[in-house]
Each structure stands twice: as C-alpha cells, then as structure tokens.
C-alpha cells in the first residue's frame, strides 16, 4: 500500500463516524498480538495542555538517551503528524506500511474499527516496530472510553486539567467530564493530577484510592519565576534553584513545565534514569507547533490553537503579557460545538477588529455566524467566506496598523493558515 492508498483507507474508516467504546479497538489489537502491551507508556488525559506536556516530556526523555514514541491528536498538518519518533513526524511510507498491514485485519472484523481506532492501533504497532523504549500517548477525547485506554499498566497516568469541552460526549459538568478522564487511572499504577480544581482532585483521589494507586500533585514550593519570565523569546522558571529555559510561548507553558518536571520525579521513582542535564537540555530543545507559535517576526504573526473557553482565556492572558495595552489583530475560526459566544468577552478589549474565517473541517462554524455572534457582544468582526482572502485581509490590516496578527480558535486551522501565508508571501 502506498501513501495515497493509505489515505483512501482512512477516509473509508472515517465514514464509520466517531463511536466511543473499547470493544472494537480491543479486538483489533488482539488480532495484532497486542502491541500496546509491549511498550512502556505514559498516558495523558486532560482538556488542555496535553500536547505541550507530551512534547516537553518527549524531548527530555530523548535527551536522556531513550527512543520515544509519540501519539497525539488532532493532527496539526497531515495525518502523519499524529505519529512521532523522538519528537519527529514519521514519513509517509512508514504510515502506509502500517496501515497496509492493519487494513486487512480491520476488514476481517464483524464490527469495523473507526478512523481513530485504526490510528491508535497503528501508533502502538509503530512504537514496537521502531523499537521504542517508551511512548507518550495522548487521549483523543475523554479517557475511559477513548481508544487509547487499552493500556493495562502505564508507567504513569497523567491528567493535566479538566475544563468544559466535548459536552455532547463527556457531559455538561466538570464532575462528569472528570469522571471520564479519570478512567485512565489503572490498578496499582501511579497517577498525577496537574490541574487546580479541588472538585476534580477529589474525583481523582477517590478513583486512585479505589484502585490502590498513589496520587501525586505538583509541589509548587519547588518552583519560582519572576514577572519577566514569559517573553516573546520563551519561558523561564526556576526549579530547585536552577533556571530552566523553554522556547515555547504562552503563559500557560509554566504550568505545563511544572507538570512535566513533577512527572519526571515520578518516572525516576519508577526506575527510569533521567539525568538533570537531560532535563535542562530537553526543555531547551523542545519544539511544538500551534501553541502560541511565532510564525513570523517581521511582521509579527502568531498562531495559537486555543479551541475552548479555557484555551481562549489563556490566549488572552498571553496576549496581555506580551503586548500590554497594545491592540492586536485577530483571525478567528472555530468549531460549531464550542462556546464561541464567550470569546468576545475574553478577547474584545484586546482588538479593534477581528476577522472571521471557517476552518476546513466538517464541524466548523461558518464565518458569518461567528462574526455575528462576536459583533453582537461588542467585538467588531468581519466575515470572509474564502479563507485565504480572510487571512490576507487580516495581515494587510495588521501591517497597516502596525499591530501583531494573532490567529486562533482551532488547531484544525493551522495548516490552512500557514498555507495561506505562504501563498500571500509568494504572490
């Protein structure tokens, strides 16, 4: 099977929709000789922060000399971007080879796996084939019924935080959502909770107690930072007296780094050797796309994949941190199932004009509806049916007003945005 054929098969699997539950993925992996049981795994659930956490931890483990597999979603550029070895996206042929081997197994099943289940199985098989020492695996959505939740004994389960998101699948309350995410906690295995909700902590603690697990939380007495520790050049914090630099932007990256450093201590207790030099080097070398990423410095263009109210709040905090009272230009595209009406309250004071576009996704909200909702709440927003036209208009306005351009609202928009910029620059 070549890459085009593999994409064709994944399109066929996607037509089966999204169906929660573990019966299909469990059967598929059984037919594949259970590759998920052959690799040490750190399993991550949470509403926000999973990607940055995974990227930092992967970089540190790589610096410590381990071969590290990674699986995350959604793919930011193309499907191969969900699969990483030592932080690097896999090649098209690697993807095609694995899908080519898995597809006949899927087709032999009475109940065919969904797209995400096929991708999950492919990830575990990839890690085994590449000889990974450890894998860092993100939940796609929720936890208990997510297809990644076939890991029987993770080295560590991590819950970064819990906010309202995916209400149609996970519930309308924090407690309901937390109960799903705590489903990744496994019998007798350590679990880390890095959020700040007392309600979620109590649910995690109760689940851990029932399953005989030790629950860890961050010890903030070990960390400190100054008011100028977040700049447009990266993030710094002091851990156990040593200053650490992280090239990732966003005020939320300090919290992500605290969680990573706390989990490194747990992994050491589990017998994984991680020297201090690897921690320092790994954090300094980390790369991750789409999270307050500087796409261009002249003119200043930033992309942030904030896609729910908590993410937008964090993006707004970062904009204030980096630009103070200076206005910015916003290019926004969202999914229709998000609470996008709230975004105007969080972002309105930061801009005088926003530009609404539609991400290339079946669940995306049309630009006119988004613009109307934001404008009605006091944030002047102009709709553009053509994405490239909207990006060009936003960039032209930003240049004219000498303002930074911030694109945000959905990770699904990242490829569209960077492609549009290339076309604008080339023309």
């Amino acid at each position: 099977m070549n890459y085009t054929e593999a994409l064709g098969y994944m399109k066929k699997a996607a037509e089966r929709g999204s169906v929660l539950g573990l019966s299909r993925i469990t059967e598929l992996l059984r037919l594949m000789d259970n590759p998920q049981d052959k690799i040490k795994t750190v399993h991550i659930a949470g509403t926000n922060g999973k990607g940055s956490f995974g990227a930092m931890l992967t970089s540190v483990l790589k610096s410590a000399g381990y071969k590290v597999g990674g699986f995350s979603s959604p793919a930011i550029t193309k499907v191969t971007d969900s699969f990483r070895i030592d932080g690097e996206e896999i090649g098209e042929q690697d993807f095609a080879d694995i899908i080519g081997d898995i597809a006949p197994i899927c087709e032999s099943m009475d109940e065919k796996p969904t797209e995400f289940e096929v991708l999950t199985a492919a990830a575990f098989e990839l890690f085994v084939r590449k000889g990974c020492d450890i894998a860092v695996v993100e939940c796609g959505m929720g936890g208990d019924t997510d297809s990644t939740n076939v890991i029987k004994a993770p080295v560590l389960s991590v819950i970064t935080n819990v906010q309202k998101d995916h209400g149609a699948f996970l519930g309308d309350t924090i407690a309901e959502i937390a109960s799903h995410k705590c489903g990744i906690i496994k019998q007798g295995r350590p679990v880390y909770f890095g959020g700040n909700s007392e309600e979620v902590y109590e649910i995690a603690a109760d689940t851990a107690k029932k399953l005989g697990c030790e629950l860890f939380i961050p010890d903030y007495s070990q960390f400190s930072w100054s008011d100028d520790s977040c700049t447009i050049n990266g993030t710094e914090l002091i851990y156990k007296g040593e200053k650490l630099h992280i090239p990732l932007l966003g005020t939320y990256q300090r919290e992500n780094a605290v969680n990573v450093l706390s989990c490194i201590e747990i992994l050491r207790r589990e017998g994984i050797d991680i020297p201090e030099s690897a921690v320092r080097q790994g954090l300094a070398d980390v790369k991750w796309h789409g999270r307050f990423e500087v796409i261009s410095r002249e003119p200043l263009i930033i992309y942030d994949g904030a896609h729910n109210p908590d993410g937008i709040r964090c993006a707004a905090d970062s904009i204030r941190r980096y630009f103070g009272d200076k206005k910015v230009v916003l290019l926004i595209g969202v999914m229709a199932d998000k609470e996008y009406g709230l975004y105007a309250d969080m972002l309105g004071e930061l801009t005088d004009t926003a530009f609404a576009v539609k991400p290339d996704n079946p669940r995306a909200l049309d630009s006119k509806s988004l613009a109307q909702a934001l404008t009605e709440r006091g944030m002047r927003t102009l709709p553009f049916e053509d994405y490239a036209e909207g990006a060009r208009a936003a960039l032209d306005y930003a240049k004219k007003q000498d303002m930074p351009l911030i694109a945000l609202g959905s990770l699904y928009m990242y490829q569209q945005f960077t492609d549009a910029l290339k076309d604008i620059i080339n023309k």
Side-chain angles (χ1 to χ4, degrees), residues 150-224:
V150 290
I151 304 163
K152 295 177 182 177
V155 176
L156 175 64
S157 297
V158 178
I159 301 169
T160 57
N161 60 56
V162 176
Q163 304 291 336
K164 287 188 177 181
D165 201 11
H166 300 299
F169 293 94
L170 304 179
D172 296 324
T173 68
I174 293 294
E176 288 178 298
I177 297 169
S179 67
H180 285 292
K181 295 190 184 295
C182 287
I184 71 166
I185 300 174
K186 296 299 192 302
Q187 185 77 43
R189 302 305 306 147
V191 57
Y192 174 85
F193 173 60
N196 54 18
S197 166
E198 184 65 29
E199 180 181 20
V200 177
Y201 169 76
E202 290 177 358
I203 293 171
D206 183 60
T207 305
K209 183 177 180 180
K210 289 178 180 176
L211 294 174
C213 305
E214 189 170 4
L215 174 64
F216 297 86
I217 58 174
D219 177 5
Y220 279 97
S221 68
Q222 301 290 318
F223 302 89
S224 64

Side-chain angles (χ1 to χ4, degrees), residues 70-283:
F71 180 57
S72 60
S73 63
I76 301 176
T77 52
K78 57 184 180 179
V79 66
T80 50
D81 185 53
S82 284
F83 306 84
R84 293 180 176 268
I85 301 296
D86 285 342
E88 299 296 327
E89 178 181 348
I90 67 168
E92 293 180 354
Q93 193 55 53
D94 279 335
F95 178 76
D97 288 343
I98 290 179
I99 298 301
D101 291 341
I102 293 177
I105 302 174
C106 296
E107 293 305 303
S108 73
M109 296 170 58
D110 292 334
E111 189 175 359
K112 307 294 188 293
T114 65
E115 177 188 25
F116 190 67
E117 289 166 344
V118 177
L119 293 175
T120 301
F124 289 125
E125 179 64 21
L126 172 73
F127 303 151
V128 173
R129 291 188 184 186
K130 294 294 185 180
C132 292
D133 301 302
I134 191 168
V136 179
V137 175
E138 291 182 32
C139 285
M141 181 173 63
D144 53 353
T145 57
D146 186 81
S147 65
T148 63
N149 199 30
V150 290
I151 304 163
K152 295 177 182 177
V155 176
L156 175 64
S157 297
V158 178
I159 301 169
T160 57
N161 60 56
V162 176
Q163 304 291 336
K164 287 188 177 181
D165 201 11
H166 300 299
F169 293 94
L170 304 179
D172 296 324
T173 68
I174 293 294
E176 288 178 298
I177 297 169
S179 67
H180 285 292
K181 295 190 184 295
C182 287
I184 71 166
I185 300 174
K186 296 299 192 302
Q187 185 77 43
R189 302 305 306 147
V191 57
Y192 174 85
F193 173 60
N196 54 18
S197 166
E198 184 65 29
E199 180 181 20
V200 177
Y201 169 76
E202 290 177 358
I203 293 171
D206 183 60
T207 305
K209 183 177 180 180
K210 289 178 180 176
L211 294 174
C213 305
E214 189 170 4
L215 174 64
F216 297 86
I217 58 174
D219 177 5
Y220 279 97
S221 68
Q222 301 290 318
F223 302 89
S224 64
W225 46 75
S226 61
D227 290 339
D228 61 353
S229 61
C230 285
T231 72
I232 203 69
N233 295 313
T235 304
E236 291 184 344
L237 77 164
I238 297 172
Y239 177 53
K240 294 183 178 180
E242 181 175 4
K243 181 182 288 188
L244 300 172
H245 176 77
I246 306 159
L248 305 183
L249 275 64
T251 55
Y252 46 82
Q253 296 298 3
R254 287 184 305 205
E255 180 179 326
N256 289 330
V258 166
N259 289 336
V260 169
L261 290 163
S262 300
C263 287
I264 286 170
E265 297 295 345
I266 303 170
L267 293 176
R268 286 169 170 161
R269 288 181 41 162
E270 294 299 309
I272 298 176
D273 183 28
I274 307 173
E276 292 297 337
S277 58
V279 174
R280 183 171 54 255
Q281 191 64 51
L283 291 179

Side-chain angles (χ1 to χ4, degrees), residues 340-341 344-345 368-381:
Y340 52 85
D345 300 335
K368 288 184 178 180
S369 296
L370 176 60
Q372 181 179 348
L374 296 178
T375 300
E376 286 177 351
R377 299 186 71 143
M379 187 169 123
R380 179 175 180 262
T381 306

